[in-house]
Amino acid sequence: MHTLGQMVSFADEGSRALRQLLLVAALIALGYVCIRTLRFTSDGLNVAFVCAFLLIPFLAIRPVLRFRRWAKVLTTVLLAPFWALSLFLLLFTATCDIPAVVTHRELSRELGGVRQGHYSVHLVWQETAGGAVGPHGVGLEQRMFIVPGLYAVRHLDYFEGVREGSLAADGADKVRVHIPKSEMHQEVDRVYSLKPRVYF
């Protein structure tokens, strides 16, 4: 009877740990969607949000330790690459992005902006704080205001190795981007059709 009670207890503990792992997975998925679609006007808040997202996978450590032997070994082997990647990205953020924010280093500069209805479109030069790793070019993005300091963003295009460009309205829900010819990039003159609600 005592053995049966232990088995039931282990089963309950395992199912509770599994539910917690599924919750962590849901948080990771939600965080990824938010990182891709939301942005703060403050660089410090954006970096803090990324750090919080990278810490989420470590919430899985405690549920994994509650599994029985083989389940614990299997889940540890499966999750170890995610923990390693999160740790690497956290170290990268701590050594590159955070010092850049603290010293107010210029990592982006707006080259042009157009407002149309509920949204605005921006042509932005971007550079990473991590040297050769990351963006070094001009990005085109559509933004929609949500609350003060926060907006939804949709990435429309990116031009690697470019430092200059211009943006102009080209009719209702359309913009024209001109990127001059450079050593690393051909001349671009392109019209983009936009969604009135950014994603819908």
Side-chain angles (χ1 to χ4, degrees), residues 10-40:
F10 282 136
D12 288 343
E13 190 76 12
S15 62
R16 188 160 52 248
L18 183 59
R19 286 195 300 270
Q20 290 174 347
L21 280 180
L22 291 175
L23 178 61
V24 171
L27 286 174
I28 291 172
L30 179 63
Y32 179 76
V33 170
C34 289
I35 280 181
R36 296 289 299 169
T37 60
L38 299 176
R39 188 175 301 160
F40 295 98

Side-chain angles (χ1 to χ4, degrees), residues 28-195:
I28 291 172
L30 179 63
Y32 179 76
V33 170
C34 289
I35 280 181
R36 296 289 299 169
T37 60
L38 299 176
R39 188 175 301 160
F40 295 98
T41 53
S42 165
D43 289 334
L45 286 177
N46 286 320
V47 171
F49 189 75
V50 168
C51 289
F53 170 72
L54 293 173
L55 287 170
I56 294 175
F58 297 103
L59 296 176
I61 293 176
R62 190 171 180 181
V64 166
L65 294 176
R66 289 181 177 170
F67 282 127
R68 295 188 73 180
R69 184 179 177 188
W70 292 111
K72 185 188 300 184
V73 171
L74 182 61
T75 51
T76 300
V77 169
L78 290 174
L79 294 177
F82 294 100
W83 292 331
L85 179 62
S86 295
L87 183 60
F88 171 77
L89 293 174
L90 271 171
L91 290 173
F92 181 85
T93 302
T95 56
C96 298
D97 293 339
I98 292 176
V101 170
V102 171
T103 59
H104 303 288
R105 178 180 164 190
E106 185 184 48
L107 298 176
S108 66
R109 181 174 64 252
E110 187 160 321
L111 303 176
V114 172
R115 173 163 288 283
Q116 292 200 13
H118 300 286
Y119 64 84
S120 59
V121 186
H122 303 263
L123 191 67
V124 182
W125 166 76
Q126 300 166 322
E127 182 178 76
T128 183
V133 180
H136 289 83
V138 170
L140 178 67
E141 58 187 34
Q142 185 180 356
R143 302 175 186 172
M144 186 175 70
F145 173 84
I146 299 177
V147 294
L150 180 67
Y151 55 87
V153 62
R154 177 174 171 234
H155 301 280
L156 300 172
D157 210 342
Y158 183 75
F159 307 95
E160 180 68 33
V162 172
R163 296 187 64 88
E164 299 177 5
S166 61
L167 175 69
D170 195 68
D173 295 324
K174 289 184 178 180
V175 292
R176 179 180 293 274
V177 172
H178 178 76
I179 304 293
K181 185 177 181 179
S182 65
E183 293 181 5
M184 296 185 64
H185 210 282
Q186 295 293 320
E187 183 178 13
V188 175
D189 192 56
R190 194 175 298 164
V191 174
Y192 294 83
S193 296
L194 308 166
K195 296 180 183 292

